[in-house]
Amino acid sequence: MALSPDRAFALLAAVSAAPQSWQTNTPQGQQDSLALSMRLTQAFSTDPSPGLQGKTLAWQPTDSTTACPAMVQRWSHIPDPPNFHTHAPLPQQATVREQLLTVLSGMMEDYQTQKTATVTVSSALPRFDIETLWDAWQQPINHFKAQWSPRQEQVQVMVNGAAIATLSHSTNAKHLADQIRYFVNQPDWDATQLEPTLMGQYPAIRSGDRLMVVIDDAIVPPEEQNRELLAIDWTNNLRQAFGVEPLELVTAQQMMYGIRETREDFEGVASWYGPMFHGRLTANGETYNQDAFTAAHPYLPFNTYLKVINLESQEAVIVRINDRGPYIQPRTLDLSRGVARCIESKESGVVPYRAIVMSSS
């Protein structure tokens, strides 16, 4: 709608002459708003424009909850104001500062300040269980030597109050704690990316594409048990300390070795061998470790990986062939003591099994 110069001058004069009290909700303000409405009507009454013909401009009295009065007739060509989405409705009587705080609080409601993970080192009680008694019965001389030798304090590395690793040297434990502390307090830390891996001959833990911890001689002495199992246990302990589901043993082993299943498999009867052969040389020249994930087979190539499934318990573990045997029929696979524990065949001694040949992924 276009206004002629005289109409525009009349409109400006009417608004300028109106007292400021027309903006209030007092009796005087209502009278002044009525007077202003009459002046605006007179300004357009001489030659009404098509858009205003037959219409009268007026203000409605408002209550105390409305900031500005509403128009009786909305001009059709004026678009609706844009709808700004906020997390909370803005009160009309709120000050600019209160409205700004409401908008900012809505924008920041999903923002959470990163909490610093607590990594500590504390003393732990020495391990004493049925396995210790079994070893004492199998190797009494070595057991008594260990009892009379100076005992080293067991030290635990804790993250957020959860035990991650137990070591026998405080220096090694502090070294491990420093490495963990550095990673878990990074801004992009994500416990779901924790996986076991291999760094050369040493098991390790990685976070995404970054190497986090290498379980070498600086952390675990060579005489310790199964370093690969330690890497898997520590990985799962770290994941659980941050509320992430642990990895299954076979899944973790596949990640560590970089292998996958093939269609080649076979079945048979498996036994296990342990303390009597611990520390001796295997057929491929390695030192036999009864707690490692290894096995003996009559003819499979050395370093062949097998996924061995106990057909009675359905427990599974991946083993590496590094020895020859067994030599008692009808047994076709001889497992280490550590493997027998994992698939729950240690007590029964001999179990039916199914083996799946693994290959590089």
Side-chain angles (χ1 to χ4, degrees), residues 93-172:
Q93 292 288 1
T95 63
V96 175
R97 182 174 181 273
E98 292 173 342
Q99 295 187 23
L100 181 60
L101 289 176
T102 303
V103 174
L104 290 177
S105 62
M107 293 172 58
M108 301 295 288
E109 67 177 358
D110 296 330
Y111 175 79
Q112 295 181 355
T113 304
Q114 183 186 8
K115 297 181 180 179
T116 302
T118 304
V119 182
T120 58
V121 176
S122 61
S123 299
L125 295 176
R127 184 177 67 91
F128 185 80
D129 51 22
I130 191 63
E131 296 296 338
T132 305
L133 295 178
W134 173 263
D135 292 339
W137 183 76
Q138 291 288 328
Q139 298 178 326
I141 297 178
N142 293 340
H143 178 73
F144 284 119
K145 286 182 179 179
Q147 292 296 320
W148 285 102
S149 62
R151 291 189 178 182
Q152 295 176 337
E153 182 181 15
Q154 296 292 304
V155 185
Q156 283 185 333
V157 177
M158 314 283 290
V159 176
N160 293 337
I164 304 301
T166 302
L167 302 175
S168 57
H169 299 277
S170 59
T171 303
N172 297 357

Side-chain angles (χ1 to χ4, degrees), residues 220-360:
V220 177
E223 63 271 12
E224 287 291 339
Q225 299 179 355
N226 187 346
R227 290 184 176 181
E228 296 177 0
L229 185 58
L230 286 180
I232 296 173
D233 285 343
W234 294 359
T235 299
N236 282 334
N237 291 341
L238 271 173
R239 291 171 67 95
Q240 291 179 300
F242 291 91
V244 179
E245 287 292 326
L247 299 171
E248 294 185 359
L249 176 58
V250 171
T251 302
Q253 287 183 285
Q254 288 183 251
M255 292 177 176
M256 176 180 292
Y257 306 138
I259 56 177
R260 59 179 177 82
E261 295 184 11
T262 67
R263 297 182 178 180
E264 183 180 355
D265 66 342
F266 56 90
E267 295 185 359
V269 177
S271 56
W272 69 273
Y273 65 122
M276 185 179 296
F277 299 89
H278 184 70
R280 297 183 181 182
L281 292 181
T282 61
N284 71 343
E286 296 179 4
T287 301
Y288 177 65
N289 182 354
Q290 63 180 352
D291 297 308
F293 292 138
T294 58
H297 190 272
Y299 57 84
L300 280 176
F302 293 133
N303 297 322
T304 298
Y305 284 97
L306 299 177
K307 177 181 176 180
V308 179
I309 305 170
N310 182 348
L311 295 180
E312 293 180 348
S313 65
Q314 299 303 314
E315 296 292 336
V317 66
I318 295 177
V319 304
R320 180 176 60 88
I321 302 300
N322 72 338
D323 206 355
R324 291 297 178 219
Y327 301 103
I328 302 176
Q329 296 296 329
R331 306 175 189 179
T332 56
L333 197 63
D334 223 356
L335 309 173
S336 69
R337 186 184 69 170
V339 174
R341 289 175 178 173
C342 289
I343 63 173
E344 298 180 359
S345 67
K346 184 173 179 294
E347 300 302 326
S348 57
V350 179
V351 295
Y353 74 91
R354 173 173 173 250
I356 302 174
V357 180
M358 312 293 287
S359 65
S360 300

Side-chain angles (χ1 to χ4, degrees), residues 22 57-63 66-74 92:
W22 70 273
L57 295 176
W59 300 115
Q60 283 187 343
T62 59
D63 55 24
T66 305
C68 297
M71 295 176 58
V72 172
Q73 179 65 38
R74 182 181 298 274
Q92 294 182 351

Side-chain angles (χ1 to χ4, degrees), residues 156-202:
Q156 283 185 333
V157 177
M158 314 283 290
V159 176
N160 293 337
I164 304 301
T166 302
L167 302 175
S168 57
H169 299 277
S170 59
T171 303
N172 297 357
K174 291 177 181 178
H175 179 60
L176 176 62
D178 291 339
Q179 291 181 270
I180 295 176
R181 186 180 296 109
Y182 171 79
F183 278 88
V184 301
N185 288 321
Q186 294 295 317
D188 59 345
W189 166 253
D190 184 3
T192 61
Q193 297 184 359
L194 284 171
E195 296 179 2
T197 186
L198 288 177
M199 182 63 179
Q201 61 177 330
Y202 296 109

